[in-house]
Amino acid sequence: MDEKGWRDVPIAGLIIEPGTARGYKTGEWRTHRPVWDPEKCINCFLCWIYCPDSAIQVKDGKVAGIDLEHCKGCGICAHECPSKVRAINMVLESEAEAEDGGKGNEETGGEANRGEADSDKADCGKAGCERGSVKW
Amino acid sequence: MTGNEAVAEAMRQVNPDVVAAYPITPQTEIVQIFSTFVADGLVKTEFVTVESEHSAMSATIGAAAAGARAMTATSSQGFALMWEMLYIAAGLRLPIVMPVVNRALSAPINIHCDHSDTMGARDSGWIQIFSENAQEAYDNVIQAVRIAESRDVLLPAMVCMDGFIVSHGMESVKLLKDEEVRGFIGGYEPAYSLLDVDHPITVGALDFADWYFEHKRQEAAAEVPVAEVVRRVGEEYGKLSGRSYGLFEAYRLDDAEVAVVALGSTAGTAKAVVDELRREGVRAGVLKIRLYRPFPGDEIVRVLSGVKAIAVLDRSDTFSTMGGPVFIDIKASMYAPIYDDSVYDDSVHGPVRGSTHDRDARDTGARDTTQRPVIVNYIYGLGGRDIDLEQIRKVYERLQAIATTGEAGQCVSYLGVRE
């Protein structure tokens, strides 16, 4: 847990930096893990379209893997994967971890980036920028 | 003019960016009159006609989060319907100003004055300022804009006035010129804005056990400088208008042996009784509380410290068998200073934030309990039941007996109810 005290965080629970969801790792919520088989995958991108967490990784126009730091294990990708292909299968997280020694799930989880907002980075650089006003 | 007309006039002069409101007796006239100002082009306000008070407060919060100077107004059941959103306005630190025309809560159904509505929200984080008459309601709305928007504060503020007694009572009111009000409140620079594309922000995100406590702690600390800001704005307003304001009005209290504490219009009635009693040689006084939330308990105890017997008049009940809310607050304040340096120190809040609490009182720790005044409570005037000079005179007579004997008898009584 972040050690910052109440005087050091923006007021009212504001998040003053964009894109902080990247730092909020939701992968640890997962009970079932999607296991993707690149041999079977036909790159139809149905999983990419349907994934509610944008966890299907794409590289050079092809499915490249699954972002397990953010995948919550909902199983939609496996469900949407065409029945004749079945390139994604859901397995119990505990079993998957036992198999790969936890390597596929290195997220620390639960760390909201709330207190990490860097005022220098958030400052627009304009003269008289009032960024400090949301600070306690 | 009436209190409602005076408040609508103040809102016209404030010229807020957004007003979202729903009509309810006895507040209706405020937003009705203000809507004519909008229709006539006298203000540049976006007036949102919503379908409920919950929506009125929601839309006001949305507008304020988008960087607008936003206002609404309500009463009673409508106020109660806002409940959920009241806490959100305070938690998001949005300096919304809301006139509230005090009216009883159902059941049984009643449209007349008591303070049950706003007293219920005394712990919502809103600043609460009570007005004795239409003049004060007008003056308080203008000052509340400055108080709420102060960068030391950033909290929503409600300006309370007694339903019908003040809202519909006709009296002469001195108004400032439009440009004087504009100059006094100044232009609005929001602390944050959803529409500020150079600084994208998220408002109202989930805040679990890892951060919620810290944000509520900030909110509690934001209440501390309010008293000092109220005093500073009240003085500055006095220079502009000739009418200065503090946290409360201590009426003939300097050498008083007996005193009544009241909020709103009843304080005016009590002052008339005190004038009569003074002519008869009775050392009587009145403490009219203006800033009720945050409660300036230390200052109130200090100003009452020389009085032998005090009656707190509460126009609402807490139904807790502990008496009315104002009585409970004053009684608690008399026990010991609430906050000391270990909680609210100058190094944290700066001289302004720290100076609202008396250094000497803090240094002595617990109060000298043997010197405390005797204090009793009267709950009165529920549902618009009149309180008159004779009833308040009887209260002072009892206080004189208490001051002589030191015996308080029954602590909480009901004044003006048929037995």
Side-chain angles (χ1 to χ4, degrees):
Chain A
M1 195 162 118
D2 198 300
E3 294 300 320
K4 280 186 179 170
W6 62 268
R7 295 179 190 84
D8 303 318
V9 289
I11 60 167
L14 295 178
I15 301 171
I16 61 173
E17 190 185 348
T20 52
R22 236 179 273 126
Y24 189 50
K25 292 166 184 170
T26 49
E28 74 160 16
W29 302 7
R30 197 169 52 238
T31 306
H32 290 89
R33 181 195 293 188
V35 175
W36 170 67
D37 186 345
E39 301 293 321
K40 290 183 184 171
C41 181
I42 59 169
N43 292 300
C44 67
F45 289 104
L46 280 175
C47 55
W48 178 81
I49 290 166
Y50 279 96
C51 176
D53 288 307
S54 303
I56 305 297
Q57 294 165 323
V58 175
K59 200 179 176 187
D60 300 330
K62 288 184 173 174
V63 175
I66 296 170
D67 173 7
L68 290 177
E69 289 189 337
H70 293 93
C71 165
K72 300 192 191 94
C74 68
I76 290 174
C77 55
H79 184 265
E80 295 301 331
C81 189
S83 54
K84 286 180 181 169
V85 179
R86 294 185 62 88
I88 302 175
N89 290 293
M90 302 305 290
V91 297
L92 259 179
E93 186 64 25
S94 51
E95 288 173 10
E97 272 178 35
E99 213 160 281
D100 70 3
K103 277 179 192 165
N105 192 23
E106 287 174 346
E107 69 276 273
T108 46
E111 284 282 342
N113 219 18
R114 206 66 55 83
E116 297 290 333
D118 182 339
S119 55
D120 290 338
K121 201 162 46 175
D123 196 312
C124 69
K126 283 182 190 164
C129 177
E130 284 275 324
R131 210 55 198 149
S133 61
V134 296
K135 292 283 191 165
W136 162 255
Chain B
M1 59 172 57
T2 67
N4 277 347
E5 287 168 343
V7 164
E9 189 63 11
M11 286 173 70
R12 182 187 66 73
Q13 293 180 313
V14 169
N15 195 4
D17 300 311
V18 175
V19 168
Y22 192 83
I24 182 168
T25 301
Q27 158 267 28
T28 303
E29 279 181 337
I30 295 177
V31 290
Q32 183 188 324
I33 295 165
F34 186 78
S35 70
T36 66
F37 296 151
V38 177
D40 294 343
L42 300 178
V43 288
K44 62 173 176 61
T45 307
E46 182 72 31
F47 189 82
V48 190
T49 49
V50 286
E51 81 283 10
S52 74
E53 285 83 359
H54 188 279
S55 303
M57 183 48 68
S58 300
T60 308
I61 288 168
R69 185 177 258 158
M71 295 179 77
T72 182
T74 193
S75 284
S76 185
Q77 305 302 123
F79 182 84
L81 188 52
M82 284 182 179
W83 219 268
E84 179 189 4
M85 305 313 294
L86 289 177
Y87 281 75
I88 293 172
L92 290 179
R93 307 287 300 278
L94 297 170
I96 294 163
V97 172
M98 171 166 71
V100 182
V101 185
N102 286 111
R103 164 186 149 180
L105 285 173
S106 300
I109 296 174
N110 183 295
I111 60 165
H112 291 283
C113 174
D114 70 36
H115 297 161
S116 304
D117 47 6
T118 54
M119 280 299 166
R122 64 191 185 275
D123 299 335
S124 63
W126 280 63
I127 296 165
Q128 295 187 322
I129 298 170
F130 279 78
S131 319
E132 182 187 324
N133 49 41
Q135 181 71 65
E136 288 192 5
Y138 169 83
D139 292 337
N140 285 340
V141 167
I142 295 165
Q143 290 171 73
V145 173
R146 279 278 302 275
I147 294 161
E149 291 174 5
S150 163
R151 281 299 156 91
D152 288 333
V153 175
L154 289 177
L155 288 167
M158 57 184 86
V159 174
C160 310
M161 68 167 157
D162 288 348
F164 291 105
I165 301 165
V166 176
S167 68
H168 288 62
M170 193 72 83
E171 52 186 300
S172 27
V173 177
K174 287 179 183 156
L175 302 177
L176 296 173
K177 295 192 183 85
D178 289 2
E179 57 270 24
E180 287 177 321
V181 174
R182 268 202 300 274
F184 183 77
I185 62 171
Y188 182 48
E189 290 290 333
Y192 65 84
S193 163
L194 280 168
L195 299 181
D196 180 359
V197 292
D198 290 330
H199 302 113
I201 53 169
T202 303
V203 176
L206 197 63
D207 205 18
F208 273 152
D210 47 358
W211 284 113
Y212 179 88
F213 200 175
E214 278 68 28
H215 289 123
K216 297 319 269 187
R217 178 65 184 83
Q218 288 179 334
E219 197 181 325
E223 304 283 351
V224 178
V226 172
E228 186 58 32
V229 172
V230 166
R231 228 183 327 239
R232 209 168 56 204
V233 171
E235 272 173 32
E236 202 183 312
Y237 190 78
K239 283 176 196 153
L240 175 69
S241 66
R243 298 180 298 276
S244 293
Y245 288 89
L247 310 179
F248 43 71
E249 180 187 352
Y251 187 76
R252 306 187 84 160
L253 263 183
D254 277 350
D255 63 339
E257 288 191 329
V258 289
V260 154
V261 180
L263 275 61
S265 61
T266 305
T269 317
K271 282 190 262 182
V273 175
V274 162
D275 289 344
E276 283 177 13
L277 290 170
R278 285 278 174 174
R279 279 195 290 277
E280 295 161 21
V282 179
R283 283 155 66 182
V286 176
L287 179 71
K288 177 183 83 186
I289 296 177
R290 176 173 181 248
L291 177 67
Y292 181 64
R293 278 291 181 275
F295 192 68
D298 291 349
E299 289 88 343
I300 285 171
V301 167
R302 201 176 321 131
V303 80
L304 289 173
S305 60
V307 179
K308 287 181 180 163
I310 300 163
V312 179
L313 304 189
D314 267 294
R315 202 161 200 150
S316 64
D317 201 342
T318 58
F319 306 106
S320 64
T321 73
M322 294 288 289
V326 187
F327 173 66
I328 292 169
D329 285 334
I330 293 182
K331 221 167 48 158
S333 303
M334 283 182 167
Y335 192 77
I338 306 298
Y339 292 119
D340 60 21
D341 278 334
S342 64
V343 183
Y344 291 126
D345 59 300
D346 290 353
S347 63
V348 174
H349 302 295
V352 173
R353 290 164 195 265
S355 60
T356 55
H357 294 275
D358 181 61
R359 186 164 293 282
D360 296 333
R362 284 181 299 196
D363 289 346
T364 56
R367 296 193 193 291
D368 181 354
T369 54
T370 60
Q371 295 299 313
R372 278 201 303 241
V374 180
I375 181 166
V376 295
N377 185 210
Y378 284 97
I379 289 160
Y380 76 100
L382 301 190
R385 176 68 51 88
D386 275 340
I387 182 162
D388 57 27
L389 299 168
E390 200 47 44
Q391 285 173 315
I392 295 179
R393 177 178 268 271
K394 288 212 169 74
V395 170
Y396 278 108
E397 282 167 11
R398 181 182 168 204
L399 289 177
Q400 284 175 271
I402 292 171
T404 310
T405 62
E407 295 294 324
Q410 188 180 319
C411 197
V412 181
S413 315
Y414 290 81
L415 184 62
V417 76
R418 287 187 300 277
E419 295 297 339

